[in-house]
Amino acid sequence: MSEVRVRFAPSPTGKLHIGGARTAIYNWAFARAMGGKFILRIEDTDPERSTQENIDLIIRAMRWLGLDWDEGPEIGGAYGPYLQTKRFDTYKVALEKMKENGSTYPCFCTSEELAQRREAVQKGADPEPDPCRCLAHDEAQARIDAGESHVWRLKVPQDRGIITVHDAIHGDSEFDAALQDDMVLVRSDGSPTYNFAVVCDDVNMKMTHIIRGDDHLSNTPRQVLVYEALGYPTPVFAHLPMICGPDGKKLSKRHGAASVEEYRDMGYLSDALFNYLALLGWAPDGETTIFSRDEMASKFTLERVSKNPSALDYDKLEWLNNQYVQSMGAVAFVDAIKGDLIDAGYCADDADVEAKRDLLEAAYPLVCERVKLMVDAVPMIAYLLADEVELDEKSVQKVLQKEGKGAKTAILEAAAALENCEWKVETIEAALRGLLEKLDAKPRLVFQPIRVAVCGNMVSPPLFESIELLDRSVVLKRLAKAAEVALD
Ligand code: GLU
């Protein structure tokens, strides 16, 4: 078999949404698994809605997801250009070929005439073939030469019968050619329509497999007719099942974040989002849920792609993200929160982050199990980064100001115990545990006030480890300050 060549072909009319990202991932994984080529082609023929900014955003989002491609608009390749607007010459060549073999005809009907015919069919009349289909060649040419506005339509062969679309995921689907209208290939301004350009490009770029969302399934019989008109074999089609919202309905804005960047900004890691999107319709086996790009790239097959729509499950995505936070390691963790640390004012700049790196890396094991989204990380470690800590109002009321619970005594005793002890987690823990006997109190009544005083909140990362990471003077200052508001 010839080398596998697949493409991701976004229209730059918006950002990279997660449905498109999943299509890109599957194409990438298929190319890598088959030792083939993955190509990025930009379908920018809609001049009103396509922008360079969107092209840049799509490329950036794909790179952020960890995808790489072998040919594309910014890297070139043997079958370029990779922007459809730069390929108009090739569409002209294809149209000439179709003119010569009689599989296209110029249509001069005005939009009013077309509307009238549509209305008649809606009212029950039998669909009439386009009258321009039977115009004599000379007459048509004379009208073109006279400058009459026209489009070029596909002349669907009347005896074509059933078009069978073979799909690697959905199996065979049959479409009656008699029900396919003579679609426009080239508009009156000379621009190609999607169904024409896509086939010309897929042929000229030597695509072997077309992997895309199944919203394109209904376009496929039309495209098959164009392949046939041009005299080329059809590639293998593989239409991916839809992604729906958690409620099972078609994914839309109302389901929340739509673009890859929005997920990034919400605090999802690239590895986790990649893994999650990969799971929306594919898994390496019946059990594995966590896998790397390389694992997917070595194991991906179209046979294992599900036929059924997959629903977004935000709990699972969050769980998966946390799994990646737990396995990313301290160095990557600090790198990932660098921007947030600077934005929040805890670090002045990159150099300042490096100066505090030891502390930040030491904080990682204390919080990694609790960081679900990366945006939670900085607020969660904020108590380690400044001398002062803000006391959570609710925690103050519930823990420090409940009369008869001994909060003040616990805090003052903790300060005394920590004043001279060796500053290591074991000795800090021993010193504070010693208070349980001395005060004859339950751990909760001793440790919770200390926790609120030092960490600012009754829910916090592990207490003794947190204390060890802070300077003794800072801890003593926080205890003294909390003692002022605490009741006994
Ligand atoms: N440009 C089309 C889209 O963004 C994709 C076409 C295709 O994959 O055939 O939906």
Side-chain angles (χ1 to χ4, degrees), residues 7-13 17 20 23 27 41-44 84 194-195 198-199 202 210-213 215-216 219 223 237 239:
R7 83 304 193 273
F8 175 53
S11 304
T13 53
H17 57 82
T23 300
N27 273 287
R41 181 175 75 224
I42 301 291
E43 304 208 323
D44 58 344
Q84 282 190 326
Y194 158 69
N195 278 312
V198 82
V199 173
D202 287 337
I210 306 299
I211 305 171
R212 60 186 173 195
D215 48 332
H216 284 292
N219 283 319
Q223 294 176 14
F237 291 103
H239 286 93

Side-chain angles (χ1 to χ4, degrees), residues 128-130 133-134 155-162 176-180 182 225:
E128 296 279 332
D130 188 320
R133 217 181 134 109
C134 330
K155 195 169 197 175
V156 177
Q158 261 160 351
D159 54 355
R160 175 60 182 77
I162 296 296
D176 187 351
L179 300 178
Q180 303 293 326
D182 287 351
L225 291 171

Side-chain angles (χ1 to χ4, degrees), residues 53-70:
E53 191 192 348
N54 287 332
I55 296 177
D56 296 342
L57 283 172
I58 290 169
I59 289 178
R60 221 180 312 142
M62 287 175 71
R63 295 238 183 259
W64 181 78
L65 271 177
L67 298 175
D68 60 343
W69 42 99
D70 306 291

